Amino acid sequence: MGVKVVPRHGKSFKDKLYLPGIIGGMKTTLSHFTKNLKDVNKLKTMQYPEVQPTDLNERYRGVHRLTKWEDETEKCVACYMCATACPADCIFIEAEERFDEHDEKRPKEFKIDLLECVFCGYCVEACPCDAIRMDTGIFSFTASSREEFVLDKKALMANERSKDLDNG
């Protein structure tokens, strides 16, 4: 088994200047620019945020939500699996004892920092009791301060499943 010699390209002075590549890229950009100027009606733009996108992928992950039992109590058993699986370490849980018929414990505090979250969905996959989901379909989440991006248990339970996802 011998050594294979791969010939190197770009040894000429013209290739070392990168001019052919730059000119080719500028030619492509100019052709798209002139095509878009000729027929402005074919541009794929929307007046965001007045017009929200409706053609999101069916696998789109929206903002998190906590699911509830029929009596409006949370399904979360504070097992810390979602917080352990989170690569961004943005989920904070504090457990307390539970005195109803559902489980042994529940989260006293459950917070997700959306500014740290990478929306990977690992927390949803790790949850053994399907208590946390990312099916709200909320496309944009805006706030005026950093504290508003930290969702607590009450806010997470107020998030509802998107009606568009129910139909799809």
Side-chain angles (χ1 to χ4, degrees):
M1 180 161 189
V3 176
K4 183 177 181 181
V5 178
V6 178
R8 300 278 181 202
H9 298 286
K11 289 189 176 185
S12 70
F13 180 71
K14 184 177 93 172
D15 291 340
K16 287 182 182 179
L17 289 177
Y18 301 107
L19 286 178
I22 292 172
I23 292 170
M26 292 299 286
K27 188 172 87 174
T28 304
T29 302
L30 188 63
S31 69
H32 286 289
F33 180 72
T34 55
K35 182 180 79 171
N36 289 335
L37 275 181
K38 288 178 184 173
D39 194 4
V40 179
N41 295 329
K42 288 187 178 179
L43 289 176
K44 295 181 180 180
T45 60
M46 70 174 66
Q47 298 299 317
Y48 181 82
E50 290 84 13
V51 178
Q52 293 287 323
T54 57
D55 57 344
L56 295 175
N57 192 320
E58 65 271 359
R59 297 186 317 162
Y60 172 72
R61 298 183 193 105
V63 176
H64 307 76
R65 74 179 176 109
L66 284 177
T67 57
K68 305 176 247 187
W69 295 107
E70 289 77 23
D71 63 352
E72 297 296 312
T73 60
E74 66 274 356
K75 283 187 178 181
C76 181
V77 295
C79 65
Y80 300 97
M81 293 292 289
C82 58
T84 304
C86 180
D89 200 24
C90 65
I91 301 175
F92 309 98
I93 303 172
E94 183 181 334
E96 70 178 352
E97 195 172 351
R98 189 173 198 156
F99 297 105
D100 58 7
E101 69 277 358
H102 292 300
D103 296 302
E104 295 177 0
K105 60 181 182 172
R106 66 179 184 186
K108 180 179 180 182
E109 280 191 52
F110 192 106
K111 294 183 180 181
I112 297 179
D113 189 347
L114 294 181
L115 293 179
E116 292 180 10
C117 182
V118 293
F119 293 90
C120 62
Y122 287 172
C123 55
V124 177
E125 298 296 324
C127 184
C129 53
D130 196 30
I132 187 168
R133 293 187 185 166
M134 294 176 75
D135 58 359
T136 58
I138 297 174
F139 175 72
S140 61
F141 190 81
T142 58
S144 58
S145 68
R146 179 169 175 76
E147 290 78 25
E148 293 177 33
F149 284 103
V150 179
L151 298 183
D152 61 351
K153 182 171 70 168
K154 183 178 178 184
L156 289 166
M157 290 179 71
N159 285 343
E160 294 292 326
R161 179 179 168 87
S162 173
K163 304 299 181 229
D164 295 335
L165 295 173
D166 286 337
N167 297 335

